[in-house]
Amino acid sequence: MIVGEMAGLLAAGVAAGVVSTVVSLASIVSYPALLAFGLPPLTANVTNTVALMFTAVGAAAGSRPELAGQGPRVLRLGWITALGGAAGAALLLVTPSRTFEQIAPWLIAGASLLLVRPPRTGRHSEHGLLMRLALFAVAVYVGYFGAAGGILMFAVLSTVIERSAAHVNALKNVLSGLANCVAAIGFALFGPVDWGAALPLAAGFLLGGWIGPAIARRVPGQGLRYLAAACGLAVAVKLGYDAYAS
């Protein structure tokens, strides 16, 4: 790739990394950027996933205050999202994406509305089977399709974790990163990754992921949840139009 294209992908990665850690919509920025640079859809999807795992590295470094004391929770839930990411990656490589494209808008819209519901005092346990199945299903989606997958995971975690939105968001970034990491390994081995595009995009994701948590922790109270919900609904409308109008 020429220097200008690499700089463009680096900038897109920084923007997407910030957007990912704040409102969970990295792919809405980075995937169209890869298409604009001439990558075919499948190549753009797998290249984006490989680069996206570096967002979690940057986000973990930038979210150390929010992640303090959450190590045991990451260990309890991380293996679930890792398995889900692997399953989603395998599905992407062997099946057409049409079905997920039609389901995705409804999933994202539902999760977005879940984020704006009034907080409840009696929450489900993070050890419960239903919660773990929901987390696994979201991780499958992250590994397969990914658009606004972080919003789905944010919504699931918000139903079981009684911490501030910034703390839940930090955990979401790490768990989503594990799903992306396992999927990325599969794509690196078996998928059509464009490494020339992946490397500058990954560098941007790393930097943007590190910057994002500082912004997220400054969004007051429920504001982070409302912001993520509004962005998620907008994405659901856009994806729904693309899936059903064509």
Side-chain angles (χ1 to χ4, degrees), residues 33-55:
L34 291 169
L35 294 177
F37 281 102
L39 274 67
L42 178 60
T43 301
N45 194 358
V46 300
T47 300
N48 184 62
T49 300
V50 169
L52 188 58
M53 67 179 178
F54 287 90
T55 300

Side-chain angles (χ1 to χ4, degrees), residues 10 17 86-87 97 99 158 163 184 191 193 208 216 235:
L10 177 66
S97 61
T99 300
S158 294
R163 300 292 297 273
V193 178
V235 171

